[in-house]
Structures are given as C-alpha cells and as structure tokens.
C-alpha cells in the first residue's frame, strides 16, 4: 500500500505510540483487503461501547489509548451503550454494571469522542453526503449510510473505527470503491408491505439469502425513511449486508447482471411464524434501530389515555427524547406506563439478567439477535399488536 511520508512517520512511531498503534491497525486491514492507499474520512462511529459486549478486557484496550494520550482527530461519536446512564435504576440495571458503563463513556469522552450512543446518527443531524468517505461501525447505520445516503463506509469493527478516528483516515478498499458497489441480487417484491415490521421480515429473508451480497430491490411501494432503516438493519443482522439499492429511492440503483428473484408473500408469512417462539411477553421493546421522532409520535398517539400492563421500552437517542419531551409525547407515554430509554437498546443491555424471558419486538434485527445475544424467546409483530 502506498503511504505518504507523514503516514510512514506515524507508522514508525515518530508521532507517538497511540498514532503508531492506530496506523498499524488500519494498514494491516488495508494489506489484508488489498487497499492501495489510505483515504481521509469525515466522521467515525465507534462501536463496542456496551460493558455487556466489551467487558473489562475492552476497558483495558481503551485505557491503552488514554495512557498514550491519544485523541480523535475528526468528528467521532458512539454506538449504543449497555444502559441509559440516567435511568439505569428504573431499568433495573445493577450498580456494578452502571458504574462500569459510565467508566467506558468517560474514557471515550477523554479521547474527544461525542457520547451520542445511538445507531441512528443520521436522525440526530449527522448526515454524510453522497460519495463522502466515512468509517462507521454499527451495522444498521453502515447499511443506511451506504444505501440511503450514498456515503461510503465498510463495516468497521470497534478497534478499527477507533484507529480511523485517531488517524482521520481509513484504508481504501471495499465499499469505498466504485467497482465494489454493484448489485449481486435483483429482488422483486410485487405485494404490499403493510408496515415497518414487514420491512424487517423482508430484511431477514433477503439477508439470509444474499449474506454479504448487495441486493437491488424493486418494491411495489415507496418506503419511508424508517422502513428503509428497518430493512437495512434486518439484512445486516440476518446476513452481512452493508449496501442495498431501492429503485427510485436510493441515490444508486443498478442491477448489473444479477438474476431476478421474486419474493412471495407466503414466504414472509412462514418466516414470521418461525420467529415467534414466545407468546405473552415480559417486556415489549421497540426502537431497533433507535426510534425517530415520527415513530415516537405514532406510539404516543396509540397510548393516549391508556394504561399498559407490561413494561414498554422505546429506545432512542437522547437528542430525540429531548424533542419528544418538548412535543409532549414523553409525558403521554409515561402516563400510560411506558418508558423512553436513551443511549441503549434491548440487545446491548443485559436484559437476560433482569428477569425477562420473552421479549416482544417489531424489529427484524432485534428478532434475529434476541435469542442468541439475550437468551430471549421472541414475540414478533406489528407495533399496534405489540401495544395491544
Ligand atoms: Fe441499534 Fe441496538 Fe438495534 S444498536 S440497530 S437498537 S440492536
């Protein structure tokens, strides 16, 4: 890989240990994937934030960068953490976990990272433009940024994203290149998808089918932003999709030589039945990916004047909750007994240790991960059904 004189100095340690480590990481990945050079990125999203997923070993890894006086050189923000740091008691999270989680966030903050803790940075004002190179790591955010915004990022891991943030650069390979942004499958859906959960179902179906391929969709309807978000998230979880096209909606759309595959409605119905492994839920969790203000509005309209019998978590970014507070949606939800939970979600928080065994969700991604990550049986359905 070609390196500039300055990049060579960084790699040899002339600019300090932290930058050297970051350069070693990024160039090692570049060598593995055949990158020709390093390229600047305009923003970084770092994953590996929840204490549940990184544990004490992760804290030690991060502390290395603190000891070496590292700091990020470009706008950098975070994926969801393991709990809402303000409402952890109400979530029934234990004190040890909450303390460790706060320690992790403090380390990130010392590195100069904005502790946004959301998987929808593009819904709180961080919106890269078409063709802009970024290094994001949460898989649904990667799928959305590449596909709906037309930005360019690989699925970064936590360490490689942190290294890119310190360097301000990533290796030029994969989805940064024109030649890698070509459809591998042409997917036709002739029936109507009724709501966001149907887009999640379609995402699971297609994710399993294409794995790390690039599906180009022809849909029979115009999808909303939240529906595209749900589709990409489910494909990223059930397969490893990082880029998809939707005819007439995404900035890039071409099918190349991909064979056309027609999805049947009955196949999604069968898939839905197989996801439903639990009946009466202990917890209803929505907001995977994190809810937009429109989704919260819809939930609050549904909850007006009602009383919930089971806990309802509505997961979102803190900035979106603030907007919901201002618009009066939060108080309607809270009066009904629901809770808007920030900074986290049902998958990356330790719900399996909170006594929950069956979790209901309207998210294809969450339905995919809850059984393995959180030992949950799943009740998958439309938002209105879950609320009922
Ligand atoms: Fe976001 Fe958690 Fe789902 S990180 S995409 S809400 S699993």
């Amino acid at each position: 890989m070609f390196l500039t004189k300055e990049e060579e100095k960084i790699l040899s340690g002339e600019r300090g240990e932290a930058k050297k480590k970051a350069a070693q990481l990024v160039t090692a990945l570049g060598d593995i994937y055949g990158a020709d050079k390093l390229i600047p990125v305009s923003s970084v999203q770092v994953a590996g934030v929840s204490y549940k997923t990184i544990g004490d070993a992760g804290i030690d890894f991060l502390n290395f960068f603190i000891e070496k006086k590292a700091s990020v050189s470009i706008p950098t923000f975070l994926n969801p953490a393991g709990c809402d740091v303000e409402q952890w008691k109400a979530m029934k999270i234990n004190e040890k976990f909450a303390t460790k989680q706060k320690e992790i966030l403090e380390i990130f903050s010392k590195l100069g990272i904005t502790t946004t803790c959301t998987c929808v940075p593009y819904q709180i004002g961080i919106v890269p433009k078409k063709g802009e190179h970024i290094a994001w790591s949460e898989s649904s955010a990667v799928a959305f940024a590449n596909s709906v915004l037309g930005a360019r990022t690989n699925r970064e891991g936590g360490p490689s994203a942190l290294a890119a943030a310190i360097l301000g650069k990533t290796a030029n390979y994969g989805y940064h290149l024109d030649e890698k942004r070509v459809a591998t499958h042409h997917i036709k859906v002739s029936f109507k998808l009724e709501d966001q959960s149907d887009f999640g179902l379609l995402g699971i179906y297609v994710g399993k089918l294409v794995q790390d391929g690039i599906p180009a969709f022809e849909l029979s309807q115009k999808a909303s932003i939240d529906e595209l978000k749900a589709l990409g998230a489910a494909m990223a979880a059930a397969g490893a999709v990082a880029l998809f096209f939707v005819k007439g909606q995404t900035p890039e759309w071409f099918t190349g030589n991909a064979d056309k595959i027609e999805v049947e409605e009955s196949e999604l119905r069968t898939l839905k039945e197989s996801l439903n492994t639990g009946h009466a839920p202990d917890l209803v969790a929505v907001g995977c990916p994190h809810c937009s203000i429109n989704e919260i509005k819809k939930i609050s309209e549904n909850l007006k004047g009602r009383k919930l019998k089971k806990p309802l978590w509505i997961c979102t970014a803190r900035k979106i909750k603030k907007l919901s507070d201002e618009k009066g949606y939060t108080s309607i939800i809270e009066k009904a007994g629901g809770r808007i939970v920030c900074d986290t979600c049902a998958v990356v928080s330790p719900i399996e240790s909170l006594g929950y065994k069956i979790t209901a969700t309207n998210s294809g991604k969450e339905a995919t991960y809850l059984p393995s990550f959180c030992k949950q049986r799943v009740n998958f359905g439309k938002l209105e059904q879950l609320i009922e």
Side-chain angles (χ1 to χ4, degrees):
M1 184 175 11
F2 168 79
L3 295 180
T4 63
K5 290 234 159 19
E6 177 59 18
E7 288 162 357
E8 272 171 4
K9 281 184 183 166
I10 293 172
L11 199 53
S12 68
E14 277 186 51
R15 300 287 186 255
E17 277 291 297
K19 282 196 168 178
K20 179 182 174 184
K21 182 98 170 167
Q24 281 174 334
L25 245 157
V26 171
T27 54
L29 281 170
D31 285 339
I32 291 167
Y33 291 106
D36 57 345
K37 60 181 177 180
L38 299 182
I39 49 169
V41 285
S42 58
S43 68
V44 172
Q45 184 208 27
V46 174
V49 180
S50 170
Y51 180 59
K52 172 176 162 176
T53 52
I54 69 168
D56 291 324
I59 295 179
D60 291 345
F61 173 78
L62 294 174
N63 270 326
F64 166 86
F65 288 98
I66 293 290
E67 281 159 24
K68 302 296 175 196
K69 306 201 177 345
S71 62
V72 298
S73 58
I74 50 173
T76 303
F77 37 89
L78 291 182
N79 197 40
C83 62
D84 182 323
V85 289
E86 289 178 9
Q87 299 188 84
W88 58 271
K89 277 190 189 149
M91 290 173 73
K92 297 195 275 172
I93 301 281
N94 74 48
E95 188 159 5
K96 181 188 169 223
F97 187 97
T99 306
K100 290 280 187 182
Q101 189 58 69
K102 285 186 210 163
E103 185 185 339
I104 293 168
L105 295 185
E106 272 162 30
I107 297 173
F108 280 126
S109 183
K110 278 187 196 156
L111 291 170
I113 297 175
T114 312
T115 53
T116 44
C117 300
T118 183
C119 47
V120 295
Y122 48 86
Q123 291 187 318
I124 58 164
I126 303 163
V127 189
K129 294 193 180 63
K130 181 169 185 265
E132 200 167 315
H133 295 280
I134 57 177
W136 288 15
S137 55
E138 195 284 313
S139 65
S140 77
V142 165
F144 191 94
N146 268 327
S147 315
V148 184
L149 304 177
R152 296 186 170 211
T153 177
N154 288 315
R155 278 168 63 126
E156 299 290 345
S160 70
L162 183 57
I166 291 168
L167 281 184
K169 291 180 179 180
T170 191
N172 191 34
Y173 69 92
Y175 296 105
H176 292 286
L177 305 172
D178 287 345
E179 61 266 32
K180 299 286 182 192
R181 300 174 72 92
V182 176
T184 57
H185 298 73
H186 181 179
I187 310 281
K188 182 139 189 347
V189 182
S190 306
F191 56 92
K192 187 168 183 321
L193 299 163
E194 284 176 15
D195 80 339
Q196 211 163 312
S197 69
D198 281 352
F199 279 83
L201 265 185
L202 176 65
I204 298 177
Y205 183 86
V206 174
K208 284 183 174 170
L209 182 76
V210 310
Q211 291 298 312
D212 61 354
I214 302 174
F217 288 94
E218 269 187 77
L219 300 176
S220 64
Q221 68 207 89
K222 187 170 187 299
S224 70
I225 289 295
D226 288 324
E227 287 166 344
L228 293 175
K229 173 174 92 171
L231 174 67
M235 289 193 291
V241 172
L243 170 64
F244 62 95
F245 308 132
V246 179
K247 192 175 186 180
Q249 291 211 245
T250 54
E252 292 158 89
W253 193 87
F254 45 93
T255 56
N257 296 322
D259 289 337
K260 195 183 264 191
I261 299 162
E262 179 104 28
V263 180
E264 301 293 335
E265 197 170 1
S266 60
E267 292 170 309
L268 295 195
R269 267 203 304 273
T270 309
L271 174 63
K272 187 171 183 177
E273 279 162 24
S274 74
L275 290 177
N276 272 293
T277 51
H279 179 56
D282 305 316
L283 170 71
V284 177
V286 297
C288 172
H290 275 173
C291 279
S292 65
I293 193 67
N294 283 339
E295 291 173 273
I296 294 178
K297 177 174 186 263
K298 207 164 134 194
I299 297 166
S300 76
E301 284 166 357
N302 206 311
L303 289 179
K304 210 167 201 167
R306 306 177 79 182
K307 275 278 167 220
L308 294 168
K309 289 186 180 154
K310 296 286 174 88
L312 167 68
W313 286 7
I314 300 158
C315 301
T316 192
R318 193 160 292 281
K319 199 169 173 183
I320 295 175
K321 175 171 183 287
K322 196 163 173 280
L323 194 57
S324 165
D325 295 349
E326 286 161 13
K327 288 183 177 287
Y329 306 150
T330 309
S331 73
I332 295 171
I333 289 165
E334 287 179 351
K335 264 189 204 135
R339 181 174 300 282
I340 298 188
V341 172
C342 301
D343 312 325
T344 188
C345 72
V347 173
V348 296
S349 66
I351 61 165
E352 63 279 16
S353 60
L354 305 180
Y356 301 127
K357 297 217 169 357
I358 304 176
T359 296
T361 179
N362 61 342
S363 157
K365 174 168 179 177
E366 212 156 68
T368 304
Y369 281 158
L370 283 171
S372 52
F373 274 38
C374 308
K375 301 185 182 71
Q376 298 294 296
R377 285 191 280 144
V378 169
N379 181 322
F380 177 82
K382 297 187 191 317
L383 179 66
E384 291 75 15
Q385 290 166 348
L386 300 188
I387 290 174
E388 287 307 319

